[in-house]
PDB file of all heavy atoms in Angstrom:
ATOM      1  N   PHE A   1      -9.610  -4.970  -1.718  1.00 95.00           N
ATOM      2  CA  PHE A   1     -10.286  -4.684  -0.437  1.00 95.00           C
ATOM      3  C   PHE A   1     -11.612  -4.022  -0.685  1.00 95.00           C
ATOM      4  O   PHE A   1     -12.620  -4.367  -0.065  1.00 95.00           O
ATOM      5  CB  PHE A   1      -9.383  -3.812   0.453  1.00 95.00           C
ATOM      6  CG  PHE A   1      -9.905  -3.569   1.791  1.00 95.00           C
ATOM      7  CD1 PHE A   1      -9.652  -4.462   2.843  1.00 95.00           C
ATOM      8  CD2 PHE A   1     -10.740  -2.481   2.109  1.00 95.00           C
ATOM      9  CE1 PHE A   1     -10.165  -4.264   4.111  1.00 95.00           C
ATOM     10  CE2 PHE A   1     -11.248  -2.279   3.348  1.00 95.00           C
ATOM     11  CZ  PHE A   1     -10.967  -3.169   4.359  1.00 95.00           C
ATOM     12  N   CYS A   2     -11.655  -3.006  -1.565  1.00 94.00           N
ATOM     13  CA  CYS A   2     -12.911  -2.322  -1.855  1.00 94.00           C
ATOM     14  C   CYS A   2     -13.945  -3.257  -2.471  1.00 94.00           C
ATOM     15  O   CYS A   2     -15.157  -3.137  -2.191  1.00 94.00           O
ATOM     16  CB  CYS A   2     -12.638  -1.106  -2.747  1.00 94.00           C
ATOM     17  SG  CYS A   2     -11.753   0.233  -1.946  1.00 94.00           S
ATOM     18  N   ALA A   3     -13.469  -4.156  -3.315  1.00 94.00           N
ATOM     19  CA  ALA A   3     -14.407  -5.095  -3.954  1.00 94.00           C
ATOM     20  C   ALA A   3     -15.037  -6.040  -2.939  1.00 94.00           C
ATOM     21  O   ALA A   3     -16.218  -6.398  -3.028  1.00 94.00           O
ATOM     22  CB  ALA A   3     -13.686  -5.894  -5.050  1.00 94.00           C
ATOM     23  N   ARG A   4     -14.260  -6.453  -1.935  1.00 94.00           N
ATOM     24  CA  ARG A   4     -14.758  -7.369  -0.901  1.00 94.00           C
ATOM     25  C   ARG A   4     -15.609  -6.660   0.122  1.00 94.00           C
ATOM     26  O   ARG A   4     -16.446  -7.301   0.779  1.00 94.00           O
ATOM     27  CB  ARG A   4     -13.585  -8.076  -0.221  1.00 94.00           C
ATOM     28  CG  ARG A   4     -12.826  -9.051  -1.132  1.00 94.00           C
ATOM     29  CD  ARG A   4     -11.556  -9.496  -0.471  1.00 94.00           C
ATOM     30  NE  ARG A   4     -11.784 -10.340   0.662  1.00 94.00           N
ATOM     31  CZ  ARG A   4     -11.696 -11.678   0.684  1.00 94.00           C
ATOM     32  NH1 ARG A   4     -11.460 -12.340  -0.453  1.00 94.00           N
ATOM     33  NH2 ARG A   4     -11.906 -12.384   1.783  1.00 94.00           N
ATOM     34  N   HIS A   5     -15.401  -5.333   0.294  1.00 94.00           N
ATOM     35  CA  HIS A   5     -16.099  -4.607   1.355  1.00 94.00           C
ATOM     36  C   HIS A   5     -16.703  -3.317   0.803  1.00 94.00           C
ATOM     37  O   HIS A   5     -16.243  -2.204   1.149  1.00 94.00           O
ATOM     38  CB  HIS A   5     -15.161  -4.306   2.508  1.00 94.00           C
ATOM     39  CG  HIS A   5     -14.455  -5.523   3.050  1.00 94.00           C
ATOM     40  ND1 HIS A   5     -15.101  -6.486   3.826  1.00 94.00           N
ATOM     41  CD2 HIS A   5     -13.197  -5.977   2.876  1.00 94.00           C
ATOM     42  CE1 HIS A   5     -14.235  -7.437   4.120  1.00 94.00           C
ATOM     43  NE2 HIS A   5     -13.109  -7.161   3.567  1.00 94.00           N
ATOM     44  N   PRO A   6     -17.689  -3.433  -0.050  1.00 93.00           N
ATOM     45  CA  PRO A   6     -18.276  -2.203  -0.676  1.00 93.00           C
ATOM     46  C   PRO A   6     -19.078  -1.338   0.285  1.00 93.00           C
ATOM     47  O   PRO A   6     -19.476  -0.228  -0.088  1.00 93.00           O
ATOM     48  CB  PRO A   6     -19.171  -2.805  -1.761  1.00 93.00           C
ATOM     49  CG  PRO A   6     -19.535  -4.163  -1.263  1.00 93.00           C
ATOM     50  CD  PRO A   6     -18.347  -4.663  -0.531  1.00 93.00           C
ATOM     51  N   HIS A   7     -19.334  -1.812   1.509  1.00 92.00           N
ATOM     52  CA  HIS A   7     -20.132  -1.050   2.438  1.00 92.00           C
ATOM     53  C   HIS A   7     -19.360   0.127   3.048  1.00 92.00           C
ATOM     54  O   HIS A   7     -19.948   1.040   3.607  1.00 92.00           O
ATOM     55  CB  HIS A   7     -20.619  -1.936   3.573  1.00 92.00           C
ATOM     56  CG  HIS A   7     -19.531  -2.652   4.314  1.00 92.00           C
ATOM     57  ND1 HIS A   7     -18.871  -3.735   3.796  1.00 92.00           N
ATOM     58  CD2 HIS A   7     -18.988  -2.431   5.527  1.00 92.00           C
ATOM     59  CE1 HIS A   7     -17.987  -4.170   4.666  1.00 92.00           C
ATOM     60  NE2 HIS A   7     -18.013  -3.387   5.725  1.00 92.00           N
ATOM     61  N   TYR A   8     -18.008   0.118   2.897  1.00 93.00           N
ATOM     62  CA  TYR A   8     -17.237   1.248   3.407  1.00 93.00           C
ATOM     63  C   TYR A   8     -17.303   2.433   2.432  1.00 93.00           C
ATOM     64  O   TYR A   8     -17.138   2.231   1.216  1.00 93.00           O
ATOM     65  CB  TYR A   8     -15.766   0.871   3.596  1.00 93.00           C
ATOM     66  CG  TYR A   8     -15.486  -0.078   4.731  1.00 93.00           C
ATOM     67  CD1 TYR A   8     -14.856  -1.279   4.520  1.00 93.00           C
ATOM     68  CD2 TYR A   8     -15.855   0.242   6.039  1.00 93.00           C
ATOM     69  CE1 TYR A   8     -14.580  -2.159   5.553  1.00 93.00           C
ATOM     70  CE2 TYR A   8     -15.615  -0.617   7.092  1.00 93.00           C
ATOM     71  CZ  TYR A   8     -14.968  -1.826   6.852  1.00 93.00           C
ATOM     72  OH  TYR A   8     -14.725  -2.686   7.893  1.00 93.00           O
ATOM     73  N   ARG A   9     -17.516   3.597   2.946  1.00 93.00           N
ATOM     74  CA  ARG A   9     -17.516   4.798   2.091  1.00 93.00           C
ATOM     75  C   ARG A   9     -16.086   5.151   1.692  1.00 93.00           C
ATOM     76  O   ARG A   9     -15.219   5.253   2.543  1.00 93.00           O
ATOM     77  CB  ARG A   9     -18.160   5.989   2.803  1.00 93.00           C
ATOM     78  CG  ARG A   9     -18.283   7.213   1.908  1.00 93.00           C
ATOM     79  CD  ARG A   9     -18.703   8.432   2.655  1.00 93.00           C
ATOM     80  NE  ARG A   9     -18.727   9.601   1.801  1.00 93.00           N
ATOM     81  CZ  ARG A   9     -18.562  10.847   2.219  1.00 93.00           C
ATOM     82  NH1 ARG A   9     -18.395  11.109   3.481  1.00 93.00           N
ATOM     83  NH2 ARG A   9     -18.601  11.850   1.349  1.00 93.00           N
ATOM     84  N   VAL A  10     -15.838   5.320   0.416  1.00 94.00           N
ATOM     85  CA  VAL A  10     -14.511   5.595  -0.103  1.00 94.00           C
ATOM     86  C   VAL A  10     -14.334   7.086  -0.332  1.00 94.00           C
ATOM     87  O   VAL A  10     -15.101   7.716  -1.072  1.00 94.00           O
ATOM     88  CB  VAL A  10     -14.245   4.838  -1.412  1.00 94.00           C
ATOM     89  CG1 VAL A  10     -12.856   5.145  -1.979  1.00 94.00           C
ATOM     90  CG2 VAL A  10     -14.411   3.324  -1.222  1.00 94.00           C
ATOM     91  N   LEU A  11     -13.311   7.685   0.309  1.00 93.00           N
ATOM     92  CA  LEU A  11     -12.996   9.060   0.078  1.00 93.00           C
ATOM     93  C   LEU A  11     -11.883   9.254  -0.942  1.00 93.00           C
ATOM     94  O   LEU A  11     -11.825  10.275  -1.630  1.00 93.00           O
ATOM     95  CB  LEU A  11     -12.557   9.747   1.404  1.00 93.00           C
ATOM     96  CG  LEU A  11     -13.552   9.707   2.588  1.00 93.00           C
ATOM     97  CD1 LEU A  11     -13.065  10.574   3.726  1.00 93.00           C
ATOM     98  CD2 LEU A  11     -14.954  10.145   2.142  1.00 93.00           C
ATOM     99  N   SER A  12     -10.992   8.305  -1.021  1.00 92.00           N
ATOM    100  CA  SER A  12      -9.875   8.333  -1.942  1.00 92.00           C
ATOM    101  C   SER A  12      -9.492   6.920  -2.282  1.00 92.00           C
ATOM    102  O   SER A  12      -9.541   6.033  -1.430  1.00 92.00           O
ATOM    103  CB  SER A  12      -8.678   9.092  -1.388  1.00 92.00           C
ATOM    104  OG  SER A  12      -7.543   9.011  -2.194  1.00 92.00           O
ATOM    105  N   THR A  13      -9.081   6.695  -3.528  1.00 91.00           N
ATOM    106  CA  THR A  13      -8.749   5.331  -3.939  1.00 91.00           C
ATOM    107  C   THR A  13      -7.253   5.069  -3.996  1.00 91.00           C
ATOM    108  O   THR A  13      -6.824   3.923  -3.995  1.00 91.00           O
ATOM    109  CB  THR A  13      -9.324   5.036  -5.331  1.00 91.00           C
ATOM    110  OG1 THR A  13      -8.877   6.030  -6.295  1.00 91.00           O
ATOM    111  CG2 THR A  13     -10.856   5.065  -5.303  1.00 91.00           C
ATOM    112  N   ASN A  14      -6.407   6.122  -4.051  1.00 86.00           N
ATOM    113  CA  ASN A  14      -4.967   5.898  -4.119  1.00 86.00           C
ATOM    114  C   ASN A  14      -4.256   7.135  -3.539  1.00 86.00           C
ATOM    115  O   ASN A  14      -4.122   8.140  -4.252  1.00 86.00           O
ATOM    116  CB  ASN A  14      -4.545   5.688  -5.558  1.00 86.00           C
ATOM    117  CG  ASN A  14      -3.049   5.330  -5.630  1.00 86.00           C
ATOM    118  OD1 ASN A  14      -2.484   4.802  -4.674  1.00 86.00           O
ATOM    119  ND2 ASN A  14      -2.408   5.619  -6.763  1.00 86.00           N
ATOM    120  N   PRO A  15      -3.839   7.038  -2.279  1.00 90.00           N
ATOM    121  CA  PRO A  15      -3.976   5.897  -1.376  1.00 90.00           C
ATOM    122  C   PRO A  15      -5.446   5.754  -0.951  1.00 90.00           C
ATOM    123  O   PRO A  15      -6.233   6.661  -1.106  1.00 90.00           O
ATOM    124  CB  PRO A  15      -3.103   6.284  -0.172  1.00 90.00           C
ATOM    125  CG  PRO A  15      -3.138   7.813  -0.190  1.00 90.00           C
ATOM    126  CD  PRO A  15      -3.158   8.194  -1.618  1.00 90.00           C
ATOM    127  N   LEU A  16      -5.759   4.589  -0.409  1.00 95.00           N
ATOM    128  CA  LEU A  16      -7.131   4.290  -0.032  1.00 95.00           C
ATOM    129  C   LEU A  16      -7.442   4.938   1.293  1.00 95.00           C
ATOM    130  O   LEU A  16      -6.775   4.746   2.280  1.00 95.00           O
ATOM    131  CB  LEU A  16      -7.312   2.778   0.046  1.00 95.00           C
ATOM    132  CG  LEU A  16      -8.725   2.291   0.399  1.00 95.00           C
ATOM    133  CD1 LEU A  16      -9.724   2.722  -0.662  1.00 95.00           C
ATOM    134  CD2 LEU A  16      -8.737   0.773   0.539  1.00 95.00           C
ATOM    135  N   VAL A  17      -8.518   5.761   1.279  1.00 95.00           N
ATOM    136  CA  VAL A  17      -9.027   6.367   2.499  1.00 95.00           C
ATOM    137  C   VAL A  17     -10.514   6.097   2.592  1.00 95.00           C
ATOM    138  O   VAL A  17     -11.270   6.384   1.668  1.00 95.00           O
ATOM    139  CB  VAL A  17      -8.785   7.901   2.533  1.00 95.00           C
ATOM    140  CG1 VAL A  17      -9.336   8.495   3.788  1.00 95.00           C
ATOM    141  CG2 VAL A  17      -7.303   8.230   2.347  1.00 95.00           C
ATOM    142  N   LEU A  18     -10.923   5.459   3.707  1.00 95.00           N
ATOM    143  CA  LEU A  18     -12.307   5.084   3.925  1.00 95.00           C
ATOM    144  C   LEU A  18     -12.900   5.858   5.081  1.00 95.00           C
ATOM    145  O   LEU A  18     -12.167   6.316   5.975  1.00 95.00           O
ATOM    146  CB  LEU A  18     -12.429   3.571   4.176  1.00 95.00           C
ATOM    147  CG  LEU A  18     -11.836   2.634   3.157  1.00 95.00           C
ATOM    148  CD1 LEU A  18     -12.047   1.179   3.585  1.00 95.00           C
ATOM    149  CD2 LEU A  18     -12.438   2.852   1.758  1.00 95.00           C
ATOM    150  N   GLU A  19     -14.220   5.978   5.082  1.00 94.00           N
ATOM    151  CA  GLU A  19     -14.924   6.562   6.207  1.00 94.00           C
ATOM    152  C   GLU A  19     -15.966   5.535   6.702  1.00 94.00           C
ATOM    153  O   GLU A  19     -17.122   5.529   6.274  1.00 94.00           O
ATOM    154  CB  GLU A  19     -15.631   7.853   5.809  1.00 94.00           C
ATOM    155  CG  GLU A  19     -16.234   8.597   6.965  1.00 94.00           C
ATOM    156  CD  GLU A  19     -16.847   9.923   6.548  1.00 94.00           C
ATOM    157  OE1 GLU A  19     -17.331  10.024   5.397  1.00 94.00           O
ATOM    158  OE2 GLU A  19     -16.870  10.865   7.372  1.00 94.00           O
ATOM    159  N   PRO A  20     -15.556   4.614   7.594  1.00 93.00           N
ATOM    160  CA  PRO A  20     -16.489   3.576   8.091  1.00 93.00           C
ATOM    161  C   PRO A  20     -17.628   4.140   8.863  1.00 93.00           C
ATOM    162  O   PRO A  20     -18.710   3.547   8.891  1.00 93.00           O
ATOM    163  CB  PRO A  20     -15.610   2.665   8.907  1.00 93.00           C
ATOM    164  CG  PRO A  20     -14.435   3.515   9.325  1.00 93.00           C
ATOM    165  CD  PRO A  20     -14.229   4.506   8.206  1.00 93.00           C
ATOM    166  N   GLU A  21     -17.383   5.257   9.571  1.00 91.00           N
ATOM    167  CA  GLU A  21     -18.446   5.942  10.332  1.00 91.00           C
ATOM    168  C   GLU A  21     -18.259   7.444  10.153  1.00 91.00           C
ATOM    169  O   GLU A  21     -17.171   7.907   9.799  1.00 91.00           O
ATOM    170  CB  GLU A  21     -18.369   5.586  11.837  1.00 91.00           C
ATOM    171  CG  GLU A  21     -18.638   4.138  12.143  1.00 91.00           C
ATOM    172  CD  GLU A  21     -18.486   3.863  13.620  1.00 91.00           C
ATOM    173  OE1 GLU A  21     -17.982   4.743  14.369  1.00 91.00           O
ATOM    174  OE2 GLU A  21     -18.860   2.757  14.076  1.00 91.00           O
ATOM    175  N   ALA A  22     -19.299   8.216  10.399  1.00 89.00           N
ATOM    176  CA  ALA A  22     -19.181   9.637  10.296  1.00 89.00           C
ATOM    177  C   ALA A  22     -18.144  10.154  11.279  1.00 89.00           C
ATOM    178  O   ALA A  22     -18.181   9.826  12.474  1.00 89.00           O
ATOM    179  CB  ALA A  22     -20.535  10.314  10.588  1.00 89.00           C
ATOM    180  N   GLY A  23     -17.173  10.948  10.797  1.00 89.00           N
ATOM    181  CA  GLY A  23     -16.132  11.477  11.635  1.00 89.00           C
ATOM    182  C   GLY A  23     -15.027  10.501  11.971  1.00 89.00           C
ATOM    183  O   GLY A  23     -14.166  10.784  12.788  1.00 89.00           O
ATOM    184  N   THR A  24     -15.000   9.348  11.298  1.00 93.00           N
ATOM    185  CA  THR A  24     -13.949   8.328  11.478  1.00 93.00           C
ATOM    186  C   THR A  24     -13.368   8.012  10.114  1.00 93.00           C
ATOM    187  O   THR A  24     -14.127   7.740   9.174  1.00 93.00           O
ATOM    188  CB  THR A  24     -14.527   7.064  12.133  1.00 93.00           C
ATOM    189  OG1 THR A  24     -14.961   7.374  13.445  1.00 93.00           O
ATOM    190  CG2 THR A  24     -13.481   5.950  12.212  1.00 93.00           C
ATOM    191  N   TRP A  25     -12.039   7.972  10.002  1.00 95.00           N
ATOM    192  CA  TRP A  25     -11.394   7.688   8.748  1.00 95.00           C
ATOM    193  C   TRP A  25     -10.304   6.635   8.935  1.00 95.00           C
ATOM    194  O   TRP A  25      -9.708   6.509   9.996  1.00 95.00           O
ATOM    195  CB  TRP A  25     -10.787   8.981   8.163  1.00 95.00           C
ATOM    196  CG  TRP A  25     -11.767  10.079   8.044  1.00 95.00           C
ATOM    197  CD1 TRP A  25     -12.708  10.261   7.061  1.00 95.00           C
ATOM    198  CD2 TRP A  25     -11.979  11.137   8.961  1.00 95.00           C
ATOM    199  NE1 TRP A  25     -13.446  11.384   7.312  1.00 95.00           N
ATOM    200  CE2 TRP A  25     -13.032  11.940   8.473  1.00 95.00           C
ATOM    201  CE3 TRP A  25     -11.383  11.509  10.170  1.00 95.00           C
ATOM    202  CZ2 TRP A  25     -13.508  13.058   9.116  1.00 95.00           C
ATOM    203  CZ3 TRP A  25     -11.853  12.635  10.834  1.00 95.00           C
ATOM    204  CH2 TRP A  25     -12.873  13.389  10.310  1.00 95.00           C
ATOM    205  N   VAL A  26     -10.071   5.911   7.864  1.00 97.00           N
ATOM    206  CA  VAL A  26      -9.042   4.855   7.877  1.00 97.00           C
ATOM    207  C   VAL A  26      -8.195   5.035   6.624  1.00 97.00           C
ATOM    208  O   VAL A  26      -8.724   5.066   5.527  1.00 97.00           O
ATOM    209  CB  VAL A  26      -9.626   3.464   7.904  1.00 97.00           C
ATOM    210  CG1 VAL A  26      -8.492   2.412   8.039  1.00 97.00           C
ATOM    211  CG2 VAL A  26     -10.610   3.294   9.057  1.00 97.00           C
ATOM    212  N   TYR A  27      -6.881   5.201   6.830  1.00 96.00           N
ATOM    213  CA  TYR A  27      -5.912   5.361   5.741  1.00 96.00           C
ATOM    214  C   TYR A  27      -5.156   4.054   5.571  1.00 96.00           C
ATOM    215  O   TYR A  27      -4.640   3.478   6.520  1.00 96.00           O
ATOM    216  CB  TYR A  27      -4.960   6.499   6.101  1.00 96.00           C
ATOM    217  CG  TYR A  27      -3.774   6.668   5.143  1.00 96.00           C
ATOM    218  CD1 TYR A  27      -3.813   7.600   4.133  1.00 96.00           C
ATOM    219  CD2 TYR A  27      -2.620   5.906   5.298  1.00 96.00           C
ATOM    220  CE1 TYR A  27      -2.737   7.784   3.267  1.00 96.00           C
ATOM    221  CE2 TYR A  27      -1.536   6.076   4.454  1.00 96.00           C
ATOM    222  CZ  TYR A  27      -1.614   7.005   3.428  1.00 96.00           C
ATOM    223  OH  TYR A  27      -0.529   7.171   2.585  1.00 96.00           O
ATOM    224  N   PHE A  28      -5.054   3.582   4.317  1.00 96.00           N
ATOM    225  CA  PHE A  28      -4.349   2.339   4.017  1.00 96.00           C
ATOM    226  C   PHE A  28      -3.098   2.651   3.163  1.00 96.00           C
ATOM    227  O   PHE A  28      -3.218   3.404   2.188  1.00 96.00           O
ATOM    228  CB  PHE A  28      -5.218   1.358   3.220  1.00 96.00           C
ATOM    229  CG  PHE A  28      -6.435   0.882   3.933  1.00 96.00           C
ATOM    230  CD1 PHE A  28      -7.585   1.706   4.026  1.00 96.00           C
ATOM    231  CD2 PHE A  28      -6.486  -0.354   4.534  1.00 96.00           C
ATOM    232  CE1 PHE A  28      -8.724   1.265   4.682  1.00 96.00           C
ATOM    233  CE2 PHE A  28      -7.625  -0.793   5.208  1.00 96.00           C
ATOM    234  CZ  PHE A  28      -8.739   0.024   5.280  1.00 96.00           C
ATOM    235  N   SER A  29      -1.978   2.071   3.528  1.00 92.00           N
ATOM    236  CA  SER A  29      -0.769   2.172   2.713  1.00 92.00           C
ATOM    237  C   SER A  29      -0.571   0.822   2.028  1.00 92.00           C
ATOM    238  O   SER A  29      -0.939  -0.222   2.572  1.00 92.00           O
ATOM    239  CB  SER A  29       0.461   2.521   3.542  1.00 92.00           C
ATOM    240  OG  SER A  29       0.774   1.434   4.389  1.00 92.00           O
ATOM    241  N   ARG A  30       0.031   0.856   0.863  1.00 90.00           N
ATOM    242  CA  ARG A  30       0.266  -0.398   0.140  1.00 90.00           C
ATOM    243  C   ARG A  30       1.259  -1.307   0.858  1.00 90.00           C
ATOM    244  O   ARG A  30       1.206  -2.523   0.719  1.00 90.00           O
ATOM    245  CB  ARG A  30       0.799  -0.122  -1.262  1.00 90.00           C
ATOM    246  CG  ARG A  30      -0.220   0.548  -2.189  1.00 90.00           C
ATOM    247  CD  ARG A  30       0.199   0.501  -3.647  1.00 90.00           C
ATOM    248  NE  ARG A  30      -0.747   1.170  -4.495  1.00 90.00           N
ATOM    249  CZ  ARG A  30      -1.863   0.638  -4.949  1.00 90.00           C
ATOM    250  NH1 ARG A  30      -2.159  -0.601  -4.617  1.00 90.00           N
ATOM    251  NH2 ARG A  30      -2.678   1.321  -5.715  1.00 90.00           N
ATOM    252  N   PHE A  31       2.177  -0.732   1.677  1.00 89.00           N
ATOM    253  CA  PHE A  31       3.168  -1.545   2.331  1.00 89.00           C
ATOM    254  C   PHE A  31       2.686  -2.148   3.637  1.00 89.00           C
ATOM    255  O   PHE A  31       3.476  -2.692   4.417  1.00 89.00           O
ATOM    256  CB  PHE A  31       4.443  -0.723   2.570  1.00 89.00           C
ATOM    257  CG  PHE A  31       4.237   0.646   3.162  1.00 89.00           C
ATOM    258  CD1 PHE A  31       4.064   0.809   4.534  1.00 89.00           C
ATOM    259  CD2 PHE A  31       4.212   1.756   2.361  1.00 89.00           C
ATOM    260  CE1 PHE A  31       3.887   2.068   5.085  1.00 89.00           C
ATOM    261  CE2 PHE A  31       4.026   3.017   2.912  1.00 89.00           C
ATOM    262  CZ  PHE A  31       3.846   3.178   4.277  1.00 89.00           C
ATOM    263  N   GLY A  32       1.369  -2.067   3.946  1.00 90.00           N
ATOM    264  CA  GLY A  32       0.834  -2.807   5.073  1.00 90.00           C
ATOM    265  C   GLY A  32       0.473  -2.042   6.315  1.00 90.00           C
ATOM    266  O   GLY A  32      -0.036  -2.639   7.248  1.00 90.00           O
ATOM    267  N   ALA A  33       0.755  -0.714   6.317  1.00 93.00           N
ATOM    268  CA  ALA A  33       0.397   0.089   7.486  1.00 93.00           C
ATOM    269  C   ALA A  33      -1.023   0.682   7.311  1.00 93.00           C
ATOM    270  O   ALA A  33      -1.410   1.043   6.237  1.00 93.00           O
ATOM    271  CB  ALA A  33       1.422   1.163   7.722  1.00 93.00           C
ATOM    272  N   VAL A  34      -1.731   0.723   8.436  1.00 96.00           N
ATOM    273  CA  VAL A  34      -3.107   1.287   8.453  1.00 96.00           C
ATOM    274  C   VAL A  34      -3.189   2.319   9.566  1.00 96.00           C
ATOM    275  O   VAL A  34      -2.715   2.081  10.678  1.00 96.00           O
ATOM    276  CB  VAL A  34      -4.154   0.184   8.673  1.00 96.00           C
ATOM    277  CG1 VAL A  34      -5.544   0.738   8.513  1.00 96.00           C
ATOM    278  CG2 VAL A  34      -3.914  -0.996   7.743  1.00 96.00           C
TER     279      VAL A  34
END
């Protein structure tokens, strides 16, 4: 996912936590929940 979408700011790689916008975060689990 990170390789396909490098424009997302990465806060953590395992588990994956992104910051698409300031003050907005997205948490990804390996089992499919976001």
Side-chain angles (χ1 to χ4, degrees):
F1 186 87
C2 290
R4 291 169 69 99
H5 306 286
H7 57 285
Y8 289 124
R9 184 189 177 207
V10 179
L11 303 188
S12 172
T13 57
N14 187 25
L16 182 61
V17 180
L18 305 180
E19 188 177 30
E21 296 178 350
T24 295
W25 305 280
V26 185
Y27 172 98
F28 297 80
S29 68
R30 292 194 183 277
F31 48 82
V34 187

